[in-house]
Amino acid sequence: MFLCAIEKGSLLEYTGKIVDIVYTCGCNLRCNFCCNPTLVLPSMLKQLSQNEYDLYIEELTHSRITFLDAIVYSGGEPLLHKELKSFMEFIISLKLENYLYTNGILTNRLEQLLKAKLIQKVRVDLKGSELNFEQVTHKSKKLLTNIRQSIILLFDYLDPNDIQLVTVESTQTSKDDIKPFLATLPSKIVDRWTTVPMFGEKKLQDYNIGGF
């Protein structure tokens, strides 16, 4: 099962629309300030049971479809999961929209979904630049190449108004930390970038992440 949790009936993520948020299991980054450690650390993952999943699909198909506008995909990193494509196809068949939150690393999988017209809105979370990416994410800064390619790709497929570039401001990532990365992007893309405050009480940095 690729889903760990479902939040029903949110009005916060997509302005003017009612959404359900599905949280996928696992992530390819280990950001110190991550507010969803239970979706990232293998030792803490708790997947939905098949019965829980089936009940949600039944509820979605027979009742929630009457008032929902979209499904938001968060995590973790949703693009890690091959099952995502078929799930998005199902959501499109219900005449609902797909809104993806991603870190932008898995460019090829993102492109597959965009080509299939399965994504209507995307938020890319920028974790850092060459200055601090490895310190913040515990992964190679070479991944910034993938993220850059993904962002440019989005502007080839979607209306700019349906693309969000977001940085969660924390003690390790500020506006100035992101600027070197933004300088490598066209100005029309940089104009879509904004920052949001960090939230959540328990962060990944509060756990022992040795071995990742």
Side-chain angles (χ1 to χ4, degrees):
M1 177 58 60
F2 71 106
L3 297 182
C4 275
I6 299 171
E7 180 179 343
K8 299 177 182 178
S10 175
L11 297 171
L12 300 177
E13 282 69 25
Y14 200 157
T15 303
K17 296 182 183 290
I18 304 173
V19 306
D20 282 354
I21 308 170
V22 295
Y23 293 93
T24 63
C25 305
C27 190
N28 45 10
L29 296 178
R30 292 294 183 268
C31 303
N32 295 326
F33 54 80
C34 178
C35 61
N36 289 332
T38 57
L39 302 175
V40 173
L41 298 175
S43 62
M44 300 181 70
L45 294 179
K46 184 180 179 182
Q47 300 175 344
L48 289 185
S49 67
Q50 188 62 50
N51 184 58
E52 289 173 320
Y53 177 81
D54 291 342
L55 287 174
Y56 175 68
I57 294 301
E58 182 178 355
E59 183 182 354
L60 182 62
T61 305
H62 294 99
S63 61
R64 302 192 65 74
I65 190 176
T66 61
F67 60 85
L68 280 179
D69 297 298
I71 300 296
V72 173
Y73 302 82
S74 186
E77 172 51 52
L79 291 176
L80 283 172
H81 303 280
K82 294 181 179 179
E83 303 98 320
L84 185 67
K85 184 175 185 291
S86 59
F87 189 87
M88 284 186 163
E89 290 172 339
F90 168 68
I91 295 303
I92 292 293
S93 74
L94 298 179
K95 310 298 183 185
L96 301 176
E97 295 183 37
N98 289 315
Y99 181 4
L100 175 68
Y101 283 22
T102 180
N103 57 36
I105 290 174
L106 299 175
T107 308
N108 290 338
R109 289 193 181 178
L110 176 62
E111 185 171 20
Q112 290 173 3
L113 298 177
L114 290 169
K115 282 184 175 179
K117 299 182 179 180
L118 294 177
I119 303 175
Q120 286 66 55
K121 192 175 181 70
V122 176
R123 164 175 159 162
V124 180
D125 289 310
L126 306 180
K127 311 298 185 180
S129 69
E130 284 81 357
L131 294 176
N132 68 336
F133 188 83
E134 295 185 352
Q135 176 189 2
V136 170
T137 68
H138 299 269
K139 300 294 179 178
S140 171
K141 63 183 179 182
K142 292 180 180 179
L143 293 174
L144 288 167
T145 299
N146 298 46
I147 297 170
R148 186 178 297 107
Q149 291 173 345
S150 291
I151 292 171
I152 293 173
L153 186 70
L154 288 173
F155 282 79
D156 290 337
Y157 283 92
L158 299 178
D159 186 299
N161 292 321
D162 293 322
I163 303 168
Q164 289 183 298
L165 306 180
V166 175
T167 295
V168 178
E169 288 198 89
S170 70
T171 56
Q172 292 186 316
T173 303
S174 66
K175 292 181 179 180
D176 289 338
D177 292 323
I178 303 297
K179 286 180 180 178
F181 177 79
L182 296 175
T184 68
L185 297 171
S187 59
K188 69 173 184 178
I189 295 179
V190 177
D191 290 341
R192 303 301 305 170
W193 173 70
T194 187
T195 60
V196 296
M198 185 171 60
F199 65 94
E201 296 181 359
K202 199 75 169 176
K203 307 295 185 296
L204 197 65
Q205 63 191 3
D206 298 323
Y207 295 88
N208 178 9
I209 61 172
F212 291 107

